[in-house]
Amino acid sequence: MTQYLLAISLGPVQSLIEAGRKTRDLWCGSWLLSEAAKAAALTLQKYQPGCLIFPCPTNPNQDLQPQSQFQEEQANIANVIRALVTVDDEDHLRKLARDSQNAAVNQIIELSEKARKLLGTLPLHKDIWDKQKDDILETFAVWIEHKEENYPAQSQRLSSLLAARKSSRDFEAMKNTRVGIPKCSLDGAFESVINISHKKRTLGNYQRELRRLAIFSGEELDVLGVTKRMAGDAEQFTPFARIAADSWLNNWPEDVLSRLKTAYQALVQQNLATRVKGNSGIYDNFPYDAQLLFSSRLDNALTEFSTQNELPLIHALSSALQKIETRPIPYGVLLKADGDHMSELLKNAKTVNQSRKISTALHSFACSVRSIVTRHRGHAIYSGGDDVLALLPLNSAIDCAKELANQFSQTMKPVSLELGLKPDKMPTLSVGLAIGHIIQPMRQLRNRAIRAEGLAKGHALSEVKQQRNALAICLGIRSGPELNWRCRWSDDAQLSAMNRYIEAYREKNCPARLGYDLRAIAARFHWVLDDEKTAEQVLPGIHQAELQRLLERARLPGGNDKKLHPDFKSLLLAEAEKTGIASLADQLIIARWLSARTEADIGEQQ
């Protein structure tokens, strides 16, 4: 009998997670990949109990069982699995690896077939479906003989082999290619399986299934696209629109919400809207997708839903909304977080058992993520190991990010101390917050979140001490450029300043256009920073003079000619001296968005 370190990787992440337009695509893609990883890991666990290294849950026989529906309390399983297995010979190992890979593939096929059954009588290209369902998942396996005295080098070698194997994919010749079939709209990689012309899609007998698929006019879906829309229970996950509207909805008394719920429930019964029943019931005060509470979405619905049965329901909701003067802000936050110094921690593991302790700590953190996000009125999309992806309302995003960072550091500290990590190499969490519009394609918002996470990690910074362990925010608005702000978690003064800006906007103690006026000054006098005499100055004299003049002339909202509070003015001047006038302007604009609850709070800039 021989011991081997075995690694299995599942993918592709691009099509399973990144390709998508709706929140449901992102969530269900992550869930599908996690379900496949659980199936692969459970096969190894059944063969040799206790063999798993990554993942290493406390109760693997229970935690790795397949889920018929999404369960909020469970952590996700990452797409790379490691185990230490004892086999007769390498042929035995090869069969074990293949069985594990097949379990993952079969799990995806089973979920895709479940999705097909839910489509009822919707016409599909059956030949295309049957071919594509077998090709959804890519699997790779590598192994190396294990010797206890040289585990760190073997672990590094295993990672290198896996990277090399993934770079040398097996490409088969295309079979049964169909000419004239449109490609999937999510990523354009494969042919659509929907066998209905665009002209016939307006017919009533197809409308129910097409609406359940949430297909736009002209949109096409392949097998994976259909599976993302149908495999999971859509009501268990919360649409981005509901999360964005949460702070607005929480502002209204029960009688107002009751009128809105009555109008919305009628829409649900006609499949014009969906219910929201997951996330520990925190959205029970308005358990619906909330899409049609937004002005732009309601206007579109009045033209899109035009039958005699539909229009009265839309008008009923419109009438209920007309009694409310405001509308929810159509922006929310996608949070993306990743652990820092994890490679140093993993390198310090000298034995398999030490690696398992790291894995157990990571799984413990992942299990705590969903409850933390829920407390902040958000919904976690993915929490596996040190990776987190979650949707949050604007007003709670920073507090949630801070709590996640603290939780990660506390969870990883015991095993880090045991493995002898230095204080400056202790695992921390870098968090990126991407602010985006509710109708923005989820792929674009996720790309912004990736940029925010990269900014938080400080990959472009030359000073090592300023890298990692930080928060970064990227604001993308529909009528302007993307704005960025970054702050180290240890910089209490800057975090406090940002929170004071947010509170000032929320309490109407800061002019709405102050940030934009500062940007205008920075643009008008940018040439000052190009001068050799002032190149090293954060706040040149002319910038400081213009800032003081602007703050002196600034008046608070309400038309009462009230000036800025002296303490707030001093804070702005002090922060400008640290960061410069352009950076302060961006910070104020971002703070205005984070403070907003209604469309009016951001005005025409939305």
Side-chain angles (χ1 to χ4, degrees):
M1 303 289 283
T2 307
Q3 284 190 319
Y4 286 89
L5 286 172
L6 170 66
I8 296 175
S9 175
L10 310 177
V13 174
Q14 168 63 35
S15 59
L16 279 162
I17 299 180
E18 294 179 9
R21 174 178 60 81
K22 298 177 67 65
T23 308
R24 195 191 312 180
D25 300 329
L26 186 59
W27 159 63
C28 199
S30 301
W31 179 69
L32 289 171
L33 190 56
S34 176
E35 287 299 291
K38 286 199 297 184
L42 185 59
T43 300
L44 299 176
Q45 168 67 16
K46 288 180 176 179
Y47 165 75
Q48 183 179 331
C51 71
L52 293 173
I53 302 174
F54 293 98
C56 190
T58 305
N59 190 354
N61 290 324
Q62 177 180 329
D63 293 346
L64 297 177
Q65 290 294 328
Q67 298 174 239
S68 58
Q69 296 294 343
F70 178 75
Q71 297 176 15
E72 296 165 357
E73 68 276 8
Q74 287 195 354
N76 295 96
I77 301 300
N79 67 316
V80 178
I81 300 147
R82 281 196 180 195
L84 176 63
V85 295
T86 304
V87 293
D88 297 328
D89 50 37
E90 198 163 351
D91 287 338
H92 185 189
L93 177 61
R94 187 174 287 104
K95 181 182 183 303
L96 177 61
R98 179 52 59 190
D99 288 344
S100 180
Q101 292 170 280
N102 287 339
V105 171
N106 291 335
Q107 179 67 9
I108 295 294
I109 291 175
E110 180 181 334
L111 290 171
S112 69
E113 287 302 303
K114 174 187 173 183
R116 177 160 67 170
K117 292 177 182 178
L118 293 174
L119 291 178
T121 60
L122 190 70
L124 300 173
H125 294 290
K126 188 176 183 304
D127 57 332
I128 297 178
W129 182 287
D130 290 339
K131 181 183 184 303
Q132 286 186 10
K133 72 177 183 181
D134 297 330
D135 295 333
I136 292 177
L137 199 67
E138 291 181 348
T139 65
F140 305 96
V142 296
W143 52 82
I144 187 172
E145 189 174 345
H146 172 61
K147 298 184 184 302
E148 187 68 37
E149 67 275 7
N150 199 23
Y151 172 69
Q154 293 170 24
S155 178
Q156 184 62 40
R157 175 61 177 162
L158 190 69
S159 298
S160 299
L161 286 173
L162 184 59
R165 179 64 185 91
K166 291 169 68 176
S167 298
S168 54
R169 287 176 169 83
D170 301 323
F171 292 98
E172 296 183 0
M174 296 184 65
K175 301 176 182 178
N176 302 321
T177 303
R178 297 278 296 276
V179 177
I181 303 296
K183 297 288 187 178
C184 175
S185 304
L186 299 186
D187 59 6
F190 297 103
E191 291 84 0
S192 171
V193 295
I194 300 173
N195 189 14
I196 314 174
S197 68
H198 292 167
K199 185 177 181 179
K200 290 184 178 180
R201 292 185 188 187
T202 59
L203 299 178
N205 57 325
Y206 297 138
Q207 285 297 305
R208 180 181 179 84
E209 285 80 5
L210 291 173
R211 281 178 181 163
R212 292 178 69 192
L213 284 170
I215 289 183
F216 278 172
S217 176
E219 189 175 28
E220 302 286 350
L221 295 175
D222 58 9
V223 168
L224 180 56
V226 170
T227 305
K228 286 180 179 181
R229 299 281 170 92
M230 300 299 293
D233 184 355
E235 294 185 2
Q236 285 296 114
F237 193 76
T238 315
F240 194 26
R242 176 60 183 84
I243 293 172
D246 188 68
S247 59
W248 181 84
L249 286 165
N250 292 337
N251 190 57
W252 300 111
E254 181 56 36
D255 61 321
V256 175
L257 290 176
S258 179
R259 290 195 298 269
L260 292 177
K261 286 192 287 188
T262 299
Y264 226 96
Q265 178 59 29
L267 295 169
V268 172
Q269 292 171 354
Q270 291 294 321
N271 294 309
L272 302 179
T274 58
R275 287 184 59 85
V276 173
K277 63 183 182 183
N279 210 26
S280 303
I282 66 170
Y283 305 118
D284 283 350
N285 64 334
F286 191 82
Y288 306 105
D289 59 38
Q291 291 270 2
L292 300 181
L293 298 182
F294 298 89
S295 301
S296 60
R297 306 304 295 158
L298 183 61
D299 292 341
N300 288 343
L302 288 170
T303 58
E304 181 181 351
F305 303 135
S306 57
T307 69
Q308 293 181 350
N309 293 332
E310 296 169 347
L311 273 180
L313 302 179
I314 302 297
H315 284 299
L317 176 62
S318 178
S319 177
L321 286 170
Q322 285 175 1
K323 299 176 182 179
I324 303 174
E325 294 182 357
T326 64
R327 294 291 181 272
I329 181 171
Y331 282 83
V333 176
L334 179 62
L335 176 151
K336 192 174 188 305
D338 185 60
D340 306 317
H341 301 299
M342 292 306 299
S343 60
E344 286 88 348
L345 179 61
L346 293 170
K347 288 177 182 177
N348 270 38
K350 306 303 181 185
T351 66
V352 170
N353 283 336
Q354 288 179 341
S355 284
R356 287 195 176 111
K357 288 183 179 180
I358 297 172
S359 182
T360 300
L362 288 171
H363 189 75
S364 175
F365 167 71
C367 289
S368 70
V369 166
R370 297 191 186 279
S371 61
I372 292 174
V373 174
T374 297
R375 282 200 298 274
H376 293 278
R377 307 293 297 178
H379 202 148
I381 298 173
Y382 179 86
S383 62
D386 60 336
D387 291 328
V388 179
L389 195 65
L391 293 170
L392 290 156
L394 291 166
N395 64 337
S396 63
I398 290 182
D399 289 342
C400 182
K402 179 66 174 176
E403 186 172 349
L404 287 172
N406 289 339
Q407 180 68 27
F408 183 78
S409 298
Q410 293 170 10
T411 303
M412 301 307 298
K413 186 175 181 180
V415 68
S416 302
L417 291 174
E418 181 180 335
L419 297 185
L421 259 68
K422 297 179 180 179
D424 61 338
K425 297 297 183 182
M426 286 287 181
T428 54
L429 194 73
S430 288
V431 185
L433 302 178
I435 302 174
H437 199 280
I438 60 169
I439 68 170
Q440 184 173 27
M442 194 50 60
R443 183 192 303 180
Q444 294 180 11
L445 186 60
R446 184 173 180 273
N447 287 338
R448 182 176 301 142
I450 291 172
R451 290 195 296 273
E453 181 193 86
L455 178 63
K457 285 187 171 291
H459 292 155
L461 299 177
S462 58
E463 297 184 37
V464 176
K465 291 183 180 181
Q466 295 300 317
Q467 292 179 346
R468 307 180 181 90
N469 193 27
L471 167 72
I473 303 175
C474 292
L475 167 63
I477 60 179
R478 304 183 73 197
S479 59
E482 187 171 281
L483 303 180
N484 303 317
W485 175 74
R486 179 182 188 271
C487 177
R488 297 265 294 170
W489 287 123
S490 57
D491 192 343
D492 293 332
Q494 195 171 8
L495 282 170
S496 176
M498 172 58 93
N499 286 326
R500 287 185 63 182
Y501 299 152
I502 294 172
E503 185 64 24
Y505 277 117
R506 189 173 293 148
E507 300 297 326
K508 309 300 182 185
N509 290 327
C510 182
R513 287 202 53 83
L514 182 59
Y516 292 98
D517 292 339
L518 286 175
R519 288 194 74 197
I521 292 174
R524 189 162 64 249
F525 296 101
H526 73 279
W527 52 269
V528 176
L529 298 176
D530 297 332
D531 193 306
E532 293 183 1
K533 296 180 181 180
T534 60
E536 301 299 324
Q537 298 180 25
V538 175
L539 187 67
I542 192 171
H543 283 197
Q544 187 177 42
E546 285 295 310
L547 174 59
Q548 290 176 331
R549 183 179 66 83
L550 175 64
L551 296 181
E552 185 61 33
R553 296 175 59 186
R555 295 294 183 269
L556 299 184
N560 54 11
D561 204 39
K562 189 176 181 181
K563 294 185 177 182
L564 290 176
H565 192 280
D567 290 345
F568 188 64
K569 190 187 302 182
S570 298
L571 173 65
L572 293 172
L573 289 169
E575 287 301 308
E577 290 178 355
K578 296 178 185 177
T579 65
I581 197 170
S583 178
L584 176 61
D586 290 350
Q587 191 174 351
L588 284 170
I589 294 170
I590 291 172
R592 183 186 177 192
W593 247 259
L594 291 172
S595 71
R597 182 175 56 83
T598 71
E599 286 183 344
D601 292 334
I602 55 174
E604 297 178 357
Q605 281 74 37
Q606 65 175 300

